[in-house]
Amino acid sequence: MRQAWRWYGPHDNVSLDDVRQAGATEIVSALHAIPPGGEWTREAVAARKRIIEEGPAGRTPLKWTIVESIPVADEVKRFGKQAKAAIDVWTASMEAVAANGIKTICYNFMPVLDWTRTDLDWPLPNGAKALRFDEARLATYDIHILKRPGADQDYPPEVRERARKIFEGLGQTEADRLVANIGAGLPGTTSEPVDAAGMREKLAQYGKIDAAQLRRNLIEFLERIAPAAESLGVRLTLHPDDPPRPLLGLPRVASKAEDYQALFDAVPNPANGMCFCTGSLGASAANDLPAIARRFAARIYFAHLRAVKREPDGSFYEADHLDGDCDMIAVLRELLAEDRRRDSEWKIPFRPDHGHVMLDDLRKKTNPGYSAIGRLKGLAELRGAIRALESAA
Ligand code: DNO
């Protein structure tokens, strides 16, 4: 398996030398300054590639091999009047990426909100900080701040009760933080930042779109982009929903094995693939991760490896990479079995996904989930596990 690292570009406070020292050799990046719906040019991609690949003489080489993400505009997810034009722009961006020799592209199809957390500095017993998704804090936002009609029916009584208590004790600063954590998006997000009013407007635009319709829209998108990807030699990797269930009444259609099966059945083109994100899929107890890895092995073109610890009400926090609720060793065994079947160009790239804020990073400002040391620790643990499994195979 190929060891990769997400790097946000020249403004990332984790440097390319940090990446080299962590031992990753491939870079996952995107032109984050271009908003969803904007077109990427060959020149802009080439400029980023030079920064990544033309390091100082004698330095360990790094290669930009994966784009995460070319954002899919909401217009496409809703399949509004401008959807076809927006897909043409997306395809042009894909062509610009492919022209620069980058052949793996990650994207998601979550309406309105990309990955979502309610707490970005959740203290762990060892003094480090983790990301957390608290169902009752989401309900606080949804029922009491957003005041979404019908929201309370989406939560069981005990979550509603906890949300009511949280709201009663919520000061303005804390309320603003919750709105920002949920609506402003996290690093690498593919959604546009929204305040509560903006969120209401966005939700209204999805009023008539249920899961079946959203799936049809995704299939229509794939039917258009997969042949183009295939002819460019590009592999597309759809990132799972995070968390893998409807949020704020919005449907989600990349949450479980059956969702992916429906997409592979509808668009069997080999360019149509999956980003196997153990953290996202692992937030649902119903997802058997080793079984999903085995079932879709041949379609897994990129892996995000991290682990969550789930709580009964749907809340979860990000645990150490090998110590969440998923059996990471069993997952690695499946991925390595697939990896052995592949020739070198298409070995599975993975990145240590997210990490705790720990040690010296506690004194720095870090991108939520993307501090250096927490990810370095995750990569080191995963690399050790992979070595051990490889030598035992
Ligand atoms: C979060 C990431 C997501 C992911 C997108 C893929 O850490 O996994 O932002 O990049 O959903 O398009």
Side-chain angles (χ1 to χ4, degrees):
M1 289 171 71
R2 296 149 49 196
Q3 297 174 31
W5 185 278
R6 191 176 201 178
W7 187 64
Y8 284 108
H11 300 298
D12 195 329
N13 55 12
V14 179
S15 71
L16 291 172
D17 270 351
D18 292 344
V19 181
R20 293 182 175 97
Q21 289 160 34
T25 51
E26 299 187 26
I27 292 291
V28 176
S29 197
L31 303 184
H32 295 287
I34 302 179
E39 184 175 332
W40 298 17
T41 62
R42 288 182 182 209
E43 295 69 33
V45 178
R48 171 63 59 84
K49 190 174 153 81
R50 278 195 297 277
I51 295 173
I52 293 170
E53 298 188 359
E54 293 174 11
R59 284 288 207 290
T60 315
L62 291 171
K63 205 163 159 42
W64 184 11
T65 52
I66 299 160
V67 160
E68 178 181 354
S69 315
I70 302 180
V72 180
D74 257 325
E75 182 67 13
V76 176
K77 295 172 187 165
R78 288 185 285 110
F79 234 86
K81 288 198 182 64
Q82 301 302 317
K84 287 181 187 151
I87 294 174
D88 289 344
V89 170
W90 200 96
T91 306
S93 300
M94 170 168 68
E95 283 163 2
V97 166
N100 280 283
I102 302 164
K103 296 295 167 78
T104 304
I105 298 177
C106 183
Y107 69 102
N108 73 78
F109 216 75
M110 290 173 254
V112 184
L113 288 176
D114 192 338
W115 66 301
T116 302
R117 298 291 180 272
T118 55
D119 299 78
L120 308 185
D121 298 302
W122 197 63
L124 293 168
N126 63 7
K129 289 177 181 164
L131 301 181
R132 177 177 162 82
F133 180 95
D134 186 307
E135 185 72 3
R137 281 167 63 78
L138 180 80
T140 307
Y141 169 82
D142 195 3
I143 301 171
H144 300 285
I145 298 177
L146 210 54
K147 299 188 170 57
R148 180 172 64 89
D152 52 353
Q153 287 150 35
D154 285 355
Y155 304 91
E158 59 279 10
V159 171
R160 289 205 300 264
E161 181 52 17
R162 206 149 68 79
R164 192 185 59 76
K165 289 201 182 120
I166 293 173
F167 184 65
E168 273 171 18
L170 204 64
Q172 194 55 46
T173 317
E174 190 49 17
D176 290 346
R177 186 171 308 137
L178 193 56
V179 171
N181 288 354
I182 296 171
L186 293 166
T189 188
T190 51
S191 38
E192 290 149 6
V194 277
D195 57 14
M199 182 65 83
R200 281 184 209 108
E201 209 172 292
K202 288 258 184 194
L203 295 186
Q205 293 173 348
Y206 276 86
K208 294 197 181 67
I209 298 179
D210 60 7
Q213 182 63 51
L214 186 68
R215 181 172 288 123
R216 280 197 293 278
N217 296 351
L218 171 51
I219 288 171
E220 179 132 10
F221 174 62
L222 276 168
E223 278 168 345
R224 286 162 190 272
I225 62 166
E230 188 185 19
S231 64
L232 293 166
V234 162
R235 293 188 171 185
L236 302 163
T237 78
L238 174 64
H239 190 282
D241 304 325
D242 183 358
R245 54 177 184 262
L247 219 60
L248 309 180
L250 292 162
R252 289 188 154 190
V253 293
S255 297
K256 51 186 184 299
E258 293 68 31
D259 292 338
Y260 279 92
Q261 190 64 60
L263 300 175
F264 299 144
D265 289 346
V267 186
N269 188 311
N272 180 15
M274 171 183 204
C275 170
F276 185 69
C277 176
T278 50
S280 304
L281 291 167
S284 162
N287 284 334
D288 176 345
L289 300 189
I292 297 177
R294 192 175 326 125
R295 178 165 170 183
F296 299 126
R299 297 262 177 186
I300 296 176
Y301 300 148
F302 184 24
H304 288 178
L305 300 180
R306 69 179 163 85
V308 299
K309 276 264 186 211
R310 298 181 298 260
E311 293 159 32
D313 69 357
S315 305
F316 59 86
Y317 73 91
E318 301 196 356
D320 284 317
H321 288 69
L322 302 187
D323 292 312
D325 288 323
C326 83
D327 184 345
M328 187 63 84
I329 301 298
V331 165
L332 288 174
R333 220 177 253 125
E334 297 299 338
L335 295 178
L336 286 167
E338 170 62 19
D339 211 53
R340 281 192 287 276
R341 292 191 279 270
R342 297 194 184 178
D343 55 20
S344 57
E345 190 193 358
W346 291 109
K347 296 279 183 205
I348 302 172
F350 77 94
R351 60 177 183 81
D353 198 13
H354 305 179
H356 294 157
V357 180
M358 59 192 296
L359 308 181
D360 279 6
D361 280 344
L362 286 162
R363 288 182 282 277
K364 292 184 186 154
K365 190 169 161 28
T366 57
N367 273 330
Y370 289 90
S371 57
I373 302 171
R375 282 187 292 163
L376 162 68
K377 181 183 176 208
L379 180 57
E381 292 182 353
L382 290 162
R383 182 190 297 134
I386 289 170
R387 281 280 174 88
L389 288 167
E390 271 171 347
S391 81

